[in-house]
Amino acid sequence: MTDVTRHLDGRTLILLSNREPYEHLAGTEGIHVRQPPGGLVSALDPTMRRTSGTWVAWGSGSADRETADEVGRLGVPPFEPAYTLRRVWLDESDIAGYYLGFANSALWPLCHLLIQHFEFHREHWECYQHINARFAKAVYEESLRVTGTPQVWVQDYHFALVPAELRRFAPDIFIHHFWHIPFPPPDMLRLLPPGVSEALLRGLLGNDLLEFHTERHCHNFLNCVREFLPDAQVRGESRRVAVDGRSVSLGAFPISIDVDAFERIALTEESDARASALRQRYARGGRALGVSVDRIDYTKGIPERLRALDRLWHESPELRGRFTMIVVATPSRTELVPYQTLEADVLAAVREINERYGTDEWEPIVLIHENVHAELLAAIYRAADLCLVSSLQDGMNLVAKEFVASQVDEHGVLVLSRFTGAAEGIDEAVLINPFNVGEFTDGIRAALEMPASERQRRMRAMRTQLHRSTIFDWLESILARCAELMDGNCVEPDVERRRPPVAVADGAEPNAALDPTDRPQWRDAHL
Ligand code: ADQ
């Protein structure tokens, strides 16, 4: 792993994400700490450790308040503190309005073009504005505390308004933002009431650099700016927007995973034994095993996948008893009605398929309806002959990359929706359209019938390609681009950097803590 901190050139990273890197939970045996799984934390935690930065996030754990100081700060990792975690507290109504409401019931379906699930409520939008202002204030407070020049990195759709809000307090601070989900075209953004789409775009244009997974998402963003913000100048060829006397850059930075870590786990003795046991049980004697792994979310195309499987076993009776699917599907956002309905529908569809085609000796779909630990996940990926990724829309889709990384025996085929960011970077997958059940079924059949040599050729090529673009390459390319921009290498001569006047957010009290002349010069003693 290369040391990406050189691109920070002594600057201190302040990261903002909705989820925190360490969560304290109260259990029967006292308080324990949990690090959420996922590539983002595993890539950014080492960088934060090396730079003694600050991570600002929602304090969501049941014992989070007890383990932080009165402001919400603590040193992390808890047993070997190297950087600061600043927790921001949200109450039930904040979570309902900002997180479950505007972020997950309006922005999420809109950005995924699944407008049948779109719900807008004015009070959710107001809550989102209010909470974004609170997070911006927390980031600003942290920027005053860190030694060295801060560089702020915002994550995702929960914080579209933070960049512009933060810039009101700190006009010169370098801010960039990674948008993990697709960005919609103008006709979709138009579903938001007048004024809201503009506010979102202006919020994001508070960044110096805006990062998407794909060129397509950059293109959609620029088209939205063209359509909704007549005062902004879009320079599509250089992927920049000039607005309010500032220049905002855009870039495509496809995220990846910690490829070596997945490979290592897949190669442990334990995984080896588990994968052999799985193959012995489901794939001996020329039979085949498939896998899918998702949160139960309507963007992942789970009902569409089940329809294609149903059709496959219906049209090809010879595959009954010879092809088994392990479907790993974890409940997600269960507070929201569309997610509850989807979960019930998925469970019913699996039951129906199993009743229709199953026998005393064979169950077509083995459902794992819970979170699976990394070792088991790697073993299932390793054992499988094919992996079905059927998202209706997906920013990237990490499951596709995790499957490829774990396929150390190189026998599996990736059947991948065209509508994932991953499909734009992974060659050699069998690409399908999940909305077209016939094409999807044919894709699964093609994967099952593919000769072993062809599977190996494709998997080997995908693995080579994946090793060249890991999450650490992603991190490095973003930080390198930020360094270029901060060094002024990319500033357009005709865009003068004018500083907007410092103003206090609507509804926010002028606060002594936000006065730059009051800047504390000390660092937290417990770091
Ligand atoms: P997600 O929508 O969460 O991420 P995805 O990229 O597929 O989608 O990542 C899901 C992660 O959860 C994977 O690491 C997977 O292994 C894990 N996971 C899912 N079900 C699990 C289970 N039952 N047990 C254990 N682990 C499970 C958002 C965007 C994506 C984008 C990522 C990263 O929607 O498009 O790829 O962020 O930017």
Side-chain angles (χ1 to χ4, degrees), residues 38-39 108 112 156 178 180-182 213 255 262 293-295 299-300 328-330 333 368 370-373 377 381 394-399 402:
W108 177 267
H112 288 90
D156 231 349
F178 194 86
H180 288 258
I181 64 176
H213 289 297
I255 205 169
F262 268 91
V293 178
D294 326 78
R295 293 182 298 104
T299 61
K300 304 295 181 186
V328 182
T330 324
R333 300 177 194 166
I368 303 181
E370 60 192 15
N371 233 21
V372 168
H373 58 84
L377 203 59
Y381 284 141
D394 219 330
M396 175 53 60
N397 193 281
L398 298 179
V399 168
E402 293 169 3

